[in-house]
Amino acid sequence: DTAVSQTPKYLVTQMGNDKSIKCEQNLGHDTMYWYKQDSKKFLKIMFSYNNKELIINETVPNRFSPKSPDKAHLNLHINSLELGDSAVYFCASSQDQLQGSSKGYTFGSGTRLTVV
Amino acid sequence: GESVGLHLPTLSVQEGDNSIINCAYSNSASDYFIWYKQESGKGPQFIIDIRSNMDKRQGQRVTVLLNKTVKHLSLQIAATQPGDSAVYFCAGLAGGGADGLTFGKGTHLIIQP
């Protein structure tokens, strides 16, 4: 069983569209995250969500919004997509927000978003 | 906040040799560090971690060294194999972890046959 799964794996869409990326974890972890990886492989945190508390990286545009229907899911909604949003987006989870558990964060396999 | 960086973007080593990947961090309050491996088309995978009360930790063929004095950590991979080819990231937690893991820029390790 995949621990952290994301769908879709690839997403190609036009500028201005609204899209969502889904994430589910079956590890029973308390905290989930979204990371953005740019073309230079740099990974930057966008959000963390724990027990209904959302922590947002202040550099993330408000066009991005996480939605958590339950503890096992954290979906990423993006409105009015722009060319610069093209990147690989990774979902992750951890048992303990403060220390990241003894195995750190568990990452999904990523969603490659291409905005044309 | 935490800033984590790597010295070399690309490292090429012969199969069977040992490799060392270095990483520097800026926040002396960081108390937890992790090395991740990312293969092409996949998400980062946990390799090994170390807490700030330790200066060395060993796993299977990997060793992480932490030097808090100069805020530096390294990942040593022994007897490299073709499957070790990947991008390696160091990541750190600071400020109680509320800001999440902060990643360095990554080093691309290439194993030459």
Side-chain angles (χ1 to χ4, degrees):
Chain A
D1 285 343
T2 303
V4 179
S5 59
Q6 301 177 221
T7 54
K9 188 170 178 64
Y10 300 96
L11 181 56
V12 181
T13 187
Q14 290 187 327
M15 279 192 302
N17 284 351
D18 303 337
K19 290 294 179 183
S20 295
I21 305 172
K22 295 184 178 180
C23 179
E24 176 182 5
Q25 55 98 1
N26 62 7
L27 298 167
H29 283 171
D30 297 322
T31 307
M32 296 183 72
Y33 312 83
W34 277 103
Y35 277 80
K36 178 181 180 180
Q37 186 171 46
D38 62 23
S39 58
K40 297 180 180 178
K41 297 288 189 181
F42 186 63
L43 277 158
K44 189 172 183 180
I45 191 166
M46 301 175 71
F47 305 100
S48 69
Y49 188 83
N50 178 11
N51 212 22
K52 301 192 186 305
E53 180 187 9
L54 176 66
I55 298 175
I56 304 171
N57 184 319
E58 61 187 13
T59 66
V60 175
N62 57 15
R63 298 181 295 103
F64 291 78
S65 58
K67 298 281 195 301
S68 181
D70 54 57
K71 182 180 170 182
H73 297 82
L74 184 67
N75 304 324
L76 182 64
H77 297 268
I78 316 170
N79 295 325
S80 303
L81 278 156
E82 301 178 357
L83 292 176
D85 297 333
S86 296
V88 181
Y89 292 85
F90 288 98
C91 177
S93 70
S94 70
Q95 179 60 37
D96 183 334
Q97 178 184 27
L98 295 183
Q99 289 299 319
S101 86
S102 63
K103 290 295 185 183
Y105 296 4
T106 302
F107 283 81
S109 57
T111 297
R112 181 174 292 276
L113 172 65
T114 303
V115 182
V116 297
Chain B
E2 170 63 77
S3 174
V4 185
L6 287 158
H7 295 301
L8 296 172
T10 302
L11 177 63
S12 182
V13 299
Q14 291 293 124
E15 183 179 349
D17 286 353
N18 299 334
S19 64
I20 300 176
I21 302 171
N22 296 303
C23 180
Y25 63 95
S26 61
N27 190 341
S28 56
S30 300
D31 57 3
Y32 182 55
F33 301 91
I34 307 173
W35 280 100
Y36 281 92
K37 173 186 181 183
Q38 186 179 21
E39 296 174 278
S40 181
K42 297 183 179 180
Q45 295 175 288
F46 175 93
I47 300 174
I48 192 168
D49 60 354
I50 190 167
R51 297 192 183 276
S52 58
N53 59 354
M54 303 170 69
D55 53 19
K56 180 178 181 179
R57 192 165 188 216
Q58 288 183 294
Q60 188 176 14
R61 287 200 303 116
V62 294
T63 301
V64 55
L65 299 176
L66 175 62
N67 185 331
K68 294 181 287 293
T69 302
V70 296
K71 291 185 277 189
H72 179 272
L73 67 160
S74 65
L75 177 70
Q76 301 177 2
I77 305 174
T80 52
Q81 302 169 356
D84 294 331
S85 292
V87 177
Y88 290 80
F89 295 92
C90 63
L93 262 179
D99 293 335
L101 272 177
T102 299
F103 281 80
K105 289 189 175 69
T107 292
H108 187 192
L109 179 64
I110 300 171
I111 309 301
Q112 305 277 10

